[in-house]
Amino acid sequence: MNEALAILPAVTLLAVGLACILIARALRLSPIVAFIAAGVLIGPNALGLAPLNATTALLAQLGVAFLLFEIGLGFSSRTIRESGRDLVVLGPLQMLICGAGFTLAARFFGLDWPVALVIGLGAGISATAVVTATLAERGIATCPLGRSSTALLVFQDVAGIFLLVFAVSLDGSGPLGLALAEAAAKAFAAALAAVLIGRFAARPALALLARTNMAEVFTAAALLLVLATAAATGALGLSLTLGAFLAGVIVAETPYRTVVKTEARPFGALLLGFFFITVGMGLDWRDIAAQAPWIALAIAALILGKTILTFIAALASGWSRPGATQLAFVTAQGSEFGLVLLALPGVANALGPQAAGVLVAASALSLALTPAWTALGMKLARKLAQAKAAPSTPAADPEAQRPILVFAATPAGRLAMDALTRFKIPFVAIEFDADRFLSATADGYDMTFGDPSDVRLMTAVGVTRARALALGQSRYEISKEITPYINATYPDLQRIVAVRTPEEKAAHEELGMIAVITRGQPEGVDFALAVLRFAGVEEAAIARWLADVHEAHAGARPAPLPATADPAP
């Protein structure tokens, strides 16, 4: 009986979480709003279906841990290289300007400097999940605005980790400078440990797991890594959530980050939903109803204030007015981090239950307004661009920025990757065979481990924005199985496959694929030529590359350039 009572809160949260997801999708709302509203309804201040006890608190804390783990997975050296200016200039300026504005506002309402700093900087952070989903829905995730927005979100998330460490360290005593210094020291020590663990332990351990060719092993590894690292940092007196973030950083520097992210995401999404439900459970609907005017005022202050301050930061970073307008409108909402900060005991006690309820409700509702506010910002940006007769960002060919997904590091796949690298065509390389993956990685190829037949992996590596799938190995049964899904979901996505026989070629062409028989020397050169031609590389440039390839292979005599690649059916 006691066991049943102990597990009942988890069952209740699971059922409510599932209902929230379905309702939010049907109403085209952010699930976060549905989670918080459901928490208010089932909490002790309303229906009383679920108590705020140790079980619900543990589930909520695990949700935050997995949120920070996923953020850590996105923070790698590649991210820093590709988004250097946005991370170094735009991100700090936006956080500084927004943080200063909202901190002064918090001080105006009588909060002490430490709490005002947490509230102000927390208000400057945007909702990663909501912004990225909004950009993807509008098809602008890979344009300059989308890339800069993503870089800004990464910087905000990393700043949020430091802010969370600082907020947890507040105990109501001691000077502000000491708390900041202590938070910085803790974060630096933990980050150094993460680098050492990632370099000397995580990569070889994940390589060993990859040899099992079982996705379930990576699921268990992700859970173990998050929980073990969080427990370790907690035992050392650090934040559990900091440990979860560092676990993500550890994996981010390995080629296995995508498959780990794919396996861990369902757990993280579910547990994070539990966190938002428990946030709602701590609110009293009577207080919300009584404070409705203040909530509306707080929403307006947050969205309008953040839009203006972010616009100023973007202009100071060198953005044009149209581009700064789009960026400011799309990132004007509250954030998951803000809700996490408001739920901390030290912050909630300093605010008081009524003020905390107002800010939580305002932050949550601002997420639901993001799509409409973004649409308004884009309309305004277009008008500004037309008035000034200047683009919001440097001109670029959107098609050229879309990557090609290369599956299988076979000789054909490797040669295709070499060719794409030569002409600076963006691509993502994926391998499912553990031995072939390790060999390619050792040879210097930037590979992601995973099976392309896994729809979740394809989504994680960016199939939604890919120009084509280049399959370096023929797997006809899998291609046949997923073709209906590809045709229905990505009707414009072309597939190019390397085959060995005319029979294989005919079978794949019936599926609507470009099938290339790999007869040439070196092996796979025909496939690489087809990929280059599909990417729009000029024939003269292809001829020079082909000559270099034959020259590089000892004993191979240059062959004439084939007139055409196998055409699309």
Short mmCIF file of all heavy atoms in Angstrom, two decimals, residues 46 110 126 149 163 240 244 266 283 287 291 301 320 357 369 377 409 425 435 439 461-462 483 501 539:
data_model
loop_
_atom_site.label_atom_id
_atom_site.label_comp_id
_atom_site.label_asym_id
_atom_site.label_seq_id
_atom_site.Cartn_x
_atom_site.Cartn_y
_atom_site.Cartn_z
N ALA A 46 -5.95 23.73 -5.52
CA ALA A 46 -7.16 23.57 -6.33
C ALA A 46 -7.76 22.18 -6.08
O ALA A 46 -8.33 21.93 -5.02
CB ALA A 46 -6.84 23.79 -7.81
N GLY A 110 12.11 47.58 -4.91
CA GLY A 110 12.58 47.35 -3.55
C GLY A 110 13.35 46.07 -3.31
O GLY A 110 13.64 45.75 -2.14
N SER A 126 16.16 34.15 -23.19
CA SER A 126 15.00 33.77 -24.00
C SER A 126 14.77 32.27 -23.95
O SER A 126 15.64 31.50 -23.52
CB SER A 126 15.21 34.23 -25.45
OG SER A 126 15.47 35.61 -25.51
N SER A 149 20.34 33.99 -34.05
CA SER A 149 19.43 33.74 -32.94
C SER A 149 19.87 32.50 -32.16
O SER A 149 19.86 32.50 -30.92
CB SER A 149 18.00 33.55 -33.45
OG SER A 149 17.54 34.71 -34.10
N LEU A 163 24.48 31.98 -13.85
CA LEU A 163 23.49 32.68 -13.05
C LEU A 163 22.80 31.74 -12.07
O LEU A 163 22.52 32.10 -10.92
CB LEU A 163 22.46 33.34 -13.98
CG LEU A 163 21.36 34.17 -13.32
CD1 LEU A 163 21.96 35.34 -12.55
CD2 LEU A 163 20.38 34.67 -14.38
N LEU A 240 23.51 20.52 -8.62
CA LEU A 240 23.22 19.32 -9.40
C LEU A 240 23.03 19.67 -10.87
O LEU A 240 23.46 18.92 -11.76
CB LEU A 240 21.95 18.63 -8.87
CG LEU A 240 21.98 18.08 -7.44
CD1 LEU A 240 20.62 17.50 -7.09
CD2 LEU A 240 23.06 17.03 -7.28
N ALA A 244 24.80 18.41 -14.52
CA ALA A 244 24.10 17.93 -15.71
C ALA A 244 24.56 18.69 -16.94
O ALA A 244 24.73 18.10 -18.02
CB ALA A 244 22.60 18.09 -15.51
N PRO A 266 13.70 12.19 -25.28
CA PRO A 266 12.36 11.86 -24.75
C PRO A 266 12.29 11.93 -23.23
O PRO A 266 11.30 12.42 -22.68
CB PRO A 266 12.12 10.43 -25.26
CG PRO A 266 12.99 10.31 -26.47
CD PRO A 266 14.21 11.11 -26.16
N LEU A 283 1.40 27.41 -7.35
CA LEU A 283 0.64 28.65 -7.50
C LEU A 283 -0.80 28.47 -7.01
O LEU A 283 -1.34 27.36 -7.02
CB LEU A 283 0.61 29.08 -8.98
CG LEU A 283 1.98 29.33 -9.63
CD1 LEU A 283 1.78 29.68 -11.10
CD2 LEU A 283 2.74 30.43 -8.92
N ASP A 287 -4.98 33.67 -6.22
CA ASP A 287 -4.04 34.79 -6.29
C ASP A 287 -3.85 35.25 -7.73
O ASP A 287 -3.73 36.46 -7.99
CB ASP A 287 -2.69 34.37 -5.70
CG ASP A 287 -2.76 34.15 -4.20
OD1 ASP A 287 -3.68 34.72 -3.56
OD2 ASP A 287 -1.91 33.41 -3.67
N GLN A 291 -4.65 38.87 -9.16
CA GLN A 291 -3.52 39.66 -9.67
C GLN A 291 -3.53 39.78 -11.19
O GLN A 291 -2.51 40.15 -11.77
CB GLN A 291 -2.21 39.00 -9.22
CG GLN A 291 -2.03 38.87 -7.73
CD GLN A 291 -1.89 40.22 -7.04
OE1 GLN A 291 -1.43 41.18 -7.63
NE2 GLN A 291 -2.33 40.30 -5.78
N ALA A 301 5.41 44.60 -19.83
CA ALA A 301 6.73 45.13 -19.48
C ALA A 301 7.84 44.21 -19.96
O ALA A 301 8.87 44.68 -20.47
CB ALA A 301 6.81 45.34 -17.97
N SER A 320 21.68 45.75 -38.96
CA SER A 320 20.82 46.77 -39.56
C SER A 320 19.53 46.86 -38.77
O SER A 320 19.20 45.97 -37.97
CB SER A 320 20.51 46.42 -41.01
OG SER A 320 19.71 45.24 -41.07
N GLY A 357 4.18 34.62 -8.01
CA GLY A 357 3.10 34.12 -8.86
C GLY A 357 2.86 34.99 -10.08
O GLY A 357 2.65 34.49 -11.18
N LEU A 369 2.72 33.82 -26.56
CA LEU A 369 2.58 34.96 -27.46
C LEU A 369 3.71 35.05 -28.48
O LEU A 369 3.65 35.90 -29.38
CB LEU A 369 2.54 36.26 -26.64
CG LEU A 369 1.37 36.41 -25.66
CD1 LEU A 369 1.53 37.68 -24.85
CD2 LEU A 369 0.04 36.41 -26.41
N GLY A 377 6.91 41.26 -35.71
CA GLY A 377 8.26 41.79 -35.90
C GLY A 377 8.76 41.62 -37.32
O GLY A 377 9.44 42.51 -37.86
N ALA A 409 30.55 5.89 -44.23
CA ALA A 409 31.92 6.24 -44.59
C ALA A 409 32.56 5.10 -45.38
O ALA A 409 33.68 4.66 -45.09
CB ALA A 409 32.74 6.57 -43.34
N ILE A 425 31.19 22.92 -49.55
CA ILE A 425 29.74 22.70 -49.52
C ILE A 425 29.40 22.08 -48.16
O ILE A 425 29.98 21.05 -47.79
CB ILE A 425 29.31 21.75 -50.66
CG1 ILE A 425 29.66 22.38 -52.01
CG2 ILE A 425 27.83 21.44 -50.57
CD1 ILE A 425 29.49 21.44 -53.18
N ASP A 435 32.98 -0.06 -36.42
CA ASP A 435 34.37 -0.15 -36.88
C ASP A 435 34.65 0.88 -37.97
O ASP A 435 35.69 1.54 -37.96
CB ASP A 435 34.65 -1.57 -37.40
CG ASP A 435 34.64 -2.59 -36.27
OD1 ASP A 435 34.95 -2.21 -35.13
OD2 ASP A 435 34.32 -3.77 -36.55
N SER A 439 37.26 4.07 -37.73
CA SER A 439 38.30 4.22 -38.74
C SER A 439 38.23 5.59 -39.40
O SER A 439 39.25 6.27 -39.57
CB SER A 439 38.16 3.12 -39.80
OG SER A 439 39.11 3.30 -40.83
N VAL A 461 19.90 15.42 -36.85
CA VAL A 461 21.05 15.88 -37.63
C VAL A 461 20.67 16.91 -38.68
O VAL A 461 21.53 17.44 -39.37
CB VAL A 461 21.77 14.70 -38.32
CG1 VAL A 461 22.31 13.71 -37.31
CG2 VAL A 461 20.87 14.01 -39.33
N GLY A 462 19.38 17.22 -38.81
CA GLY A 462 18.99 18.33 -39.67
C GLY A 462 18.39 17.96 -40.99
O GLY A 462 18.55 18.68 -41.97
N THR A 483 10.77 5.23 -47.63
CA THR A 483 10.42 6.09 -48.76
C THR A 483 9.05 6.75 -48.62
O THR A 483 8.92 7.95 -48.88
CB THR A 483 10.50 5.30 -50.08
OG1 THR A 483 11.88 5.06 -50.39
CG2 THR A 483 9.87 6.09 -51.23
N THR A 501 25.24 -2.83 -58.94
CA THR A 501 24.75 -3.59 -60.09
C THR A 501 23.61 -2.85 -60.77
O THR A 501 22.93 -2.02 -60.15
CB THR A 501 24.24 -4.98 -59.65
OG1 THR A 501 23.09 -4.81 -58.81
CG2 THR A 501 25.32 -5.74 -58.90
N GLU A 539 31.24 22.21 -64.28
CA GLU A 539 31.92 21.06 -64.86
C GLU A 539 33.43 21.27 -64.93
O GLU A 539 34.20 20.33 -64.72
CB GLU A 539 31.36 20.79 -66.25
CG GLU A 539 29.95 20.19 -66.27
CD GLU A 539 29.91 18.80 -65.67
OE1 GLU A 539 30.86 18.03 -65.90
OE2 GLU A 539 28.95 18.49 -64.95
#
